[in-house]
Amino acid sequence: MNSQARIDAGAKRRALRLETVLIGIGVLLLALAPLYFYPIFLMKVLCFALFACAFNLLLGYTGILSFGHAAFFGGSAYFTAHAVKEWGLSPELGVLVGVAGASLLGLVIGFLAIRRQGIYSTMITLALSQMFFFFCLQAPFTHGEDGIQNVPRGRLFGLIDLSQPLFMYFFVLSAFLAGLFVIWRVIHSPYGMVLRSIRENENRAISLGYSVARYKLGAFVMSAALAGLAGGLKALVFQFATLTDVSWQMSGEVVLMTLLGGIGTLVGPAFGAALVTTLGNYFATSNLPVTLVTGIIFMVCVLVFRRGMIGELYASRLGRRLAQRREED
């Protein structure tokens, strides 16, 4: 192993250790957060954080830019809301219905999108997402522009009353952590290593004998399923599903969250989602336009934090010191 390879391997180990520290601190803060913050707002942050992390699995670790992820997020919200309200399913089964529906959409859209590369693949995801948007606008079960309202939260496993905000919060938190663990397990597995190789040099991965199309499609479906989990949870939290969840603006918003936090990092997209959601909530009652403030922050981050906020933290001297100190402990 040459010196450059040793340096790269050491940098990756330090980033992993720092990531572990950040996750541990984040879990502790999230467990205590309902004591100090409004639970509904916290649940919204968690839903969008999971959505951004799911998107990052496709963009940050596979190198596929999708402008159609709102179809999975919003589609799952519709499926979950309909299953719980009209079919009378329990909340956990309703969320599973939403995840299954999002996975099926991911299979169809991914199968068509991966047949092209670059901007052509991205435009395919956008076009198919818009087709699904107009389907949701016209389909009887979505109730058009009114959406599905008054969705009951029900009882989790028939025992826990999710109408209580604190119980609902810890259900969402558990699902978020489970989704984050799935992503962590994937990216640190041999499968994840192949995804990284595809991102770095697809032709070389093909020459090594890997079925690139199969790996891409697998990543697409997993990303769609996790985005569906976030969308299903959001439908239960706010007790409605609307066209906003499947609009192209939602797809653009998750791209913004991921870029702000840091592409290719596990907790970066979650941080970006928390930042964007907090800004939207804070400036909603002010005279300042939220989109203008978010746009300015995005431009500053692009110019100053080229790797995203968390990505720059990993690469900074402080990040290296934190990782080294944890290793010594």
Side-chain angles (χ1 to χ4, degrees), residues 241-258:
T242 65
L243 289 172
T244 304
D245 297 330
V246 292
S247 65
W248 65 267
Q249 291 93 336
M250 184 63 71
S251 294
E253 194 168 339
V254 74
V255 175
L256 174 63
M257 293 173 181
T258 306

Side-chain angles (χ1 to χ4, degrees), residues 177-191:
L177 294 177
L180 205 63
F181 174 76
V182 170
I183 295 173
W184 178 87
R185 187 68 187 87
V186 169
I187 63 180
H188 292 103
S189 68
Y191 189 94

Side-chain angles (χ1 to χ4, degrees), residues 50-304:
L50 180 57
F51 184 27
C53 290
F55 174 78
N56 184 57
L57 177 62
L58 191 64
L59 175 62
Y61 295 99
T62 314
I64 301 176
L65 175 60
S66 169
F67 275 154
H69 253 56
F72 316 132
F73 181 77
S76 177
Y78 274 119
F79 300 148
T80 299
H82 182 78
V84 171
K85 183 177 181 180
E86 302 298 334
W87 296 349
L89 296 183
S90 60
E92 68 276 7
L93 292 179
V95 171
L96 288 177
V97 169
V99 171
S103 301
L104 182 60
L105 283 173
L107 181 64
V108 175
I109 295 177
F111 177 78
L112 297 173
I114 64 172
R115 302 174 74 86
R116 294 293 182 266
Q117 294 182 350
I119 189 64
Y120 303 104
S121 174
T122 302
M123 290 299 102
I124 288 174
T125 60
L126 176 60
L128 294 175
S129 176
Q130 285 301 100
M131 289 175 61
F132 185 73
F133 172 84
F134 287 108
F135 166 78
C136 292
L137 181 63
Q138 300 294 332
F141 82 96
T142 63
H143 303 284
E145 295 181 355
D146 294 330
I148 303 177
Q149 303 180 22
N150 300 319
V151 178
R153 291 179 180 175
R155 290 181 174 272
L156 183 65
F157 304 117
L159 300 173
I160 304 174
D161 185 8
L162 294 183
S163 62
Q164 301 295 324
L166 197 59
F167 292 158
M168 185 67 200
Y169 172 78
F170 281 104
F171 170 54
V172 174
L173 177 60
S174 300
F176 167 75
L177 294 177
L180 205 63
F181 174 76
V182 170
I183 295 173
W184 178 87
R185 187 68 187 87
V186 169
I187 63 180
H188 292 103
S189 68
Y191 189 94
M193 297 299 294
V194 177
L195 293 182
R196 284 194 179 96
S197 68
I198 293 172
R199 178 195 63 189
E200 297 298 332
N201 194 324
E202 183 174 335
N203 291 329
R204 188 170 185 179
I206 294 174
S207 68
L208 292 174
Y210 292 109
S211 178
V212 169
R214 186 180 301 173
Y215 279 91
K216 281 185 174 181
L217 185 58
F220 218 107
V221 173
M222 284 188 289
S223 179
L226 291 166
L229 176 60
L233 292 172
K234 181 177 179 291
L236 292 179
V237 169
F238 291 98
Q239 299 183 276
F240 61 79
T242 65
L243 289 172
T244 304
D245 297 330
V246 292
S247 65
W248 65 267
Q249 291 93 336
M250 184 63 71
S251 294
E253 194 168 339
V254 74
V255 175
L256 174 63
M257 293 173 181
T258 306
L259 291 175
L260 284 176
I263 298 175
T265 62
L266 183 61
V267 297
F271 179 83
L275 176 62
V276 172
T277 305
T278 302
L279 288 174
N281 184 74
Y282 180 77
F283 289 108
T285 56
S286 68
N287 295 324
L288 291 175
V290 178
T291 52
L292 177 62
V293 176
T294 307
I296 293 174
I297 293 176
F298 176 69
M299 287 191 297
V300 171
C301 288
V302 169
L303 294 174
V304 180

